[in-house]
Amino acid sequence: MRAAMQGDVSVVVTLPVSVVAATSVPTKPGLVARSIRHYLRAMPNRADILVLGLTAGTVGSLVGGLMLGIGLGMVTQGVHIGWLLVLPAAPVSGALGYILAKRLVSRPD
């Protein structure tokens, strides 16, 4: 058992076989009491991860492919502003997957 005191907030963490219990008691105004359940609640299950992978792959490839196709079409026609669509195509499609993953984890249940 390990106890830590910092100011007026005490946190007690007990670590037996894969069991975590935490208690925080705020005594100053403005402090928010959150237990460990708040952080464990956001854990997605296997079906959510599967849907996230399929959604991120589909949306990313559609958006990235569209940017790449239109940009390369413009570049081959001599419109060099098309490079502004070609170069960020892969990072934009990856960023969409990252945004979808953050939204999945932060959703309230």
Side-chain angles (χ1 to χ4, degrees):
M1 180 182 233
R2 193 174 112 205
M5 292 287 288
Q6 294 178 352
D8 293 329
V9 177
S10 65
V11 177
V12 177
V13 178
T14 306
L15 297 171
V17 184
S18 73
V19 176
V20 177
T23 306
S24 63
V25 180
T27 57
K28 293 182 179 178
L31 293 177
V32 178
R34 287 190 177 172
S35 66
I36 194 72
R37 288 185 180 186
H38 171 76
Y39 297 104
L40 293 178
R41 181 181 53 169
M43 184 66 68
N45 58 16
R46 188 177 296 173
D48 291 336
I49 294 172
L50 178 66
V51 170
L52 170 68
L54 293 172
T55 306
T58 304
V59 170
S61 64
L62 286 174
V63 170
L66 188 65
M67 289 176 69
L68 186 68
I70 292 173
L72 283 177
M74 290 172 71
V75 169
T76 57
Q77 295 296 320
V79 181
H80 296 292
I81 197 92
W83 287 109
L84 292 177
L85 288 174
V86 172
L87 294 176
V92 165
S93 62
L96 289 174
Y98 180 75
I99 290 169
L100 287 171
K102 292 293 278 187
R103 193 177 81 187
L104 171 69
V105 172
S106 67
R107 72 168 186 215
D109 284 334

